[in-house]
Structures are given as structure tokens and as C-alpha cells.
Amino acid sequence: MSEEIRTFRVDIPQADLDDLRERLSRTRLPVQTPGAGSERGLTAARLRELADHWATGYDWREHEAQLNAHPQYVTTIDSQDIHFLHVRSPEPDATPLILTHGWPSSVVEFLDVIGPLTDPRAHGGDPADAFHLVIPSLPGYGFSAPLTGTGWTLARIARTWATLMARLGYDRYGAQGGDWGAGVSRELRFADPEHLIGVHVNYLMTFPTGEPGELAGLSESDQARIEGLERFTGELGGYMAIQSTRPHTLAFGLADSPAGQLAWIAEKFDDWTEAGVDRDRLLTDVSIYWLTNTADSAAQLYWEFSHAWSMPEQSPVPVGVAVFAHDYVRPVRSLAERTDKVVHWTEFADGGHFPAMEQPEALVADIRAFFGGLD
């Protein structure tokens, strides 16, 4: 199989953008129950505001150009095309770092951290903290679609990332991610431990085993985090249950209605962030799902995970954890240390599930601190 790395440029046909606007102009909103608010899901008023701006005020070409300002490539690994940004630092001794997004995100999540991470000298930082960045689209997501088959588990994606980093000539590198990106990054500890120097995550679920007395010594704060996890797996986890069991059926509505795709994603950005994210950045993310028709293929990762998950063993690769106060789940350190070699742990008072978009300066500083502290 060819190991060729091909240059890539985003260039959405104008006909696709015209079709999007035409569909949005015909959006039929549901009749919602009077007195029912956002605790029952995205409101019609919120959807209308976003959809109207998407149709009449948002300029895809402007944001397409922002993506194309960074070098992009596609390569085939394990019969799957993988799209990625590869932004090398001007500092020759920069540390290679692979950044991985999750759902319902995309590579646009990292646009605000690319400059500070690759060129700290130009952003008031120490050039010794520079990174060469590799930012792939997950298989089946965005420009890494369509999927060529089933079986794309977190472990398989991690093996693919290891191949990608080797193909780019990096024999010593770090990994960082949130959401599914955290899961892929942690799987790299087993897929490529001889080359991986460390893993930094801004999302980590810590599950009790149910053993007697396990939670007895936890603080009130940690007890609240366990309760938050239970709330997520119950009340807040409906989207996950659907995508883990019937991703095909859900995708018919999302692939045919841009308003439906918008609502499915916007609800998560509203719920999982402290104060939301930039509206146009959100719409760029949603546009990528819509324009690449990846509602179905992106959801497959939930199905694969639910059928392959097991409690991981601990790895000797060091792990750093950034905990943002308004994420929908927050980990308990004592539970995290059962499965991860935690050497760095930071609690932030602000920010939620997408810190690269919400709190880019804080996330950049924590990434620098973690990797700068490794031997």
C-alpha cells in the first residue's frame, strides 16, 4: 500500500453551499410546549437564531480560508484516508505533538492554539516550549471520510496515529486531546509506548469499581464528581445511547436536514461550555459535518466503543490531566491513578469541554508545563 502523503486543500463546491442555504430557508421548526425550556433540549428560538445566521450572515469561504492557511495533507493508512494539518514550528528542536479532537468537534477546535504552540516566541513565550503540530481528523470525521469499513475503535485509531507519526519522521512525540481525542491519546500509551513521551488530556472519565470502601475516603468535592458522572450517564447521556446503538437511524434526519444537524451539535456546545463559543466557529464545525455528510460515520465511533470497551491497564507513559470546572464530567485523581501514571494535574476555575476554543491560553500553558516537566 502506498505511503504517499498528498497535499490537501478544502474547496467546497459552490453548489453545495447554495443547497445548504436553500435547505435552511425551508426549515420547519417544531411546535414546542409552552413553558418548556432548554432543560428539555435546544429551544426553537435558539435554533432559529443560529440557522438564520448560518443562512444569511455566515461566510463559509472566510472560514475555509482560515483552514487553508495551514498546511493540510491526506495519507492512506490501514485502507483509510486520513486528513491532517501539519504545522511545523520555526524552532528546529520543537517537540512533535499530535492533537486529537472528539465529537461533535473537528480540527477547527484547535485553530486558536496552533500559533502559540508552534511559535511561542511570537506569542510572548519561551521558544523552548515550541511544538511541531499534527492535527488529524478522526476516521469518518470531516475530511477523513468516508469510512472504508467497520472496526475503527480507539485502539485502532491510536495504531493509525502511531503509523502517521512514523510516516512523518517523528520517533519521539507527545499526544494531547479531549473527548474521544483523550481516549485515542491514552490508547497511544499501548500502541506506541517506545516513541510516546507523554499524554496530556483535558477530559477523563473515572469510574468506581464498586469495591467496598472504595469511595469512603473521598472528599465532598470528589463525591460530587462521582454524582456528576452518574447524572451524565443518565439524564445527559441520551445522545450517547442513541449513537452507541442506532447511529444509522439517527443519521437519516441529520444528513437530510441542516437544521437537524445544527441542533444536534449546538446543544452540546451550549450544554458543555461555560459561556458558549464563538458563533461562527461553532457554525464552521457544524458546516464540516454537513458538507462532508459525516453524521453517520462520525457516530460509528460510539458504536465501536460501546462494543469494545474494557478497563485499561496502567501504562508507564506519564499522563497530565487538565480539569476544567464546567466540563460535564470531572475526574477523581485517586481513581485516575489506578489506570494512568498521573504526574501532572491542574484544576481550572473556568472553561468547559472545549478549552482549546474557550480557554486557549490556559490550555496552552498547561500543555507547555506538562511536556516541559518531562525528562
Side-chain angles (χ1 to χ4, degrees):
M1 182 178 295
S2 172
E3 296 186 359
E4 177 188 9
I5 296 175
R6 312 179 295 277
T7 58
F8 179 87
R9 184 176 178 82
V10 182
D11 187 13
I12 299 298
Q14 185 60 41
D16 291 355
L17 301 178
D18 294 341
D19 175 70
L20 168 60
R21 293 192 179 93
E22 196 275 330
R23 287 171 181 260
L24 287 169
S25 73
R26 294 186 290 106
T27 296
R28 186 178 74 161
L29 295 177
V31 178
Q32 295 189 324
T33 304
S38 59
E39 73 280 356
R40 303 191 186 199
L42 199 74
T43 65
R46 172 64 169 154
L47 190 281
R48 171 55 69 194
E49 180 266 326
L50 287 170
D52 284 351
H53 180 66
W54 198 11
T56 62
Y58 171 79
D59 182 0
W60 164 261
R61 294 302 184 197
E62 174 188 343
H63 299 279
E64 182 181 73
Q66 290 179 8
L67 281 168
N68 287 330
H70 301 290
Q72 297 173 78
Y73 305 89
V74 172
T75 193
T76 304
I77 303 173
D78 195 7
S79 301
Q80 176 67 43
D81 280 350
I82 300 297
H83 161 263
F84 61 99
L85 281 66
H86 186 198
V87 187
R88 288 187 58 83
S89 171
E91 308 296 338
D93 296 327
T95 300
L97 179 66
I98 186 164
L99 301 176
T100 308
H101 67 86
W103 183 93
S105 191
S106 64
V107 294
V108 302
E109 178 178 350
F110 297 112
L111 289 179
D112 290 338
V113 302
I114 290 175
L117 286 175
T118 57
D119 193 3
R121 188 193 303 268
H123 292 80
D126 185 342
D129 291 330
F131 296 92
H132 299 307
L133 296 182
V134 178
I135 311 174
S137 297
L138 288 166
Y141 285 67
F143 306 107
S144 287
L147 284 176
T148 56
T150 61
W152 281 96
T153 62
L154 297 180
R156 185 177 177 186
I157 296 170
R159 294 193 296 271
T160 300
W161 278 197
T163 299
L164 174 61
M165 296 303 276
R167 191 170 293 182
L168 292 172
Y170 296 133
D171 60 2
R172 178 181 178 275
Y173 65 92
Q176 199 283 329
D179 198 86
W180 286 130
V184 173
S185 298
R186 291 172 69 229
E187 285 290 340
L188 271 166
R189 298 174 301 156
F190 308 104
D192 200 19
E194 62 272 27
H195 300 115
L196 188 68
I197 62 173
V199 173
H200 182 278
V201 298
N202 54 266
Y203 175 81
L204 183 63
M205 281 189 171
T206 50
F207 297 94
T209 63
E211 296 176 1
E214 179 184 28
L215 306 182
L218 295 184
S219 66
E220 288 186 9
S221 174
D222 283 344
Q223 291 281 3
R225 294 183 181 198
I226 297 297
E227 293 171 4
L229 177 61
E230 293 172 351
R231 179 170 180 254
F232 168 72
T233 56
E235 175 192 348
L236 301 180
Y239 80 96
M240 184 168 58
I242 294 172
Q243 296 194 145
S244 298
T245 57
R246 295 295 186 270
H248 281 339
T249 309
L250 167 70
F252 286 109
L254 303 186
D256 192 56
S257 168
Q261 179 68 92
L262 174 60
W264 191 243
I265 291 178
E267 181 200 68
K268 301 312 171 195
F269 277 90
D270 284 359
D271 285 353
W272 296 351
T273 59
E274 180 180 7
V277 298
D278 178 78
R279 182 173 61 174
D280 277 10
R281 186 61 56 80
L282 166 62
L283 291 173
T284 301
D285 182 69
V286 178
S287 294
I288 289 176
Y289 280 82
W290 174 260
L291 295 169
T292 58
N293 193 13
T294 47
D296 188 306
S297 58
Q300 298 304 315
L301 185 49
Y302 284 86
W303 197 97
E304 302 291 355
F305 178 80
S306 69
H307 290 76
W309 184 84
S310 62
M311 185 69 78
E313 298 178 359
Q314 191 175 85
S315 160
V317 176
V319 173
V321 182
V323 183
F324 288 85
H326 299 277
D327 204 344
Y328 60 80
V329 294
R330 289 177 292 160
V332 174
R333 180 163 186 169
S334 61
L335 299 183
E337 290 173 341
R338 298 176 311 175
T339 56
D340 295 77
K341 182 184 176 183
V342 178
V343 301
H344 175 94
W345 187 280
T346 310
E347 300 271 349
F348 291 94
D350 300 302
H353 194 62
F354 306 96
M357 303 170 82
E358 302 173 73
Q359 297 285 329
E361 292 183 2
L363 181 64
V364 166
D366 205 62
I367 292 171
R368 289 173 177 168
F370 168 66
F371 285 102
L374 299 180
D375 293 333

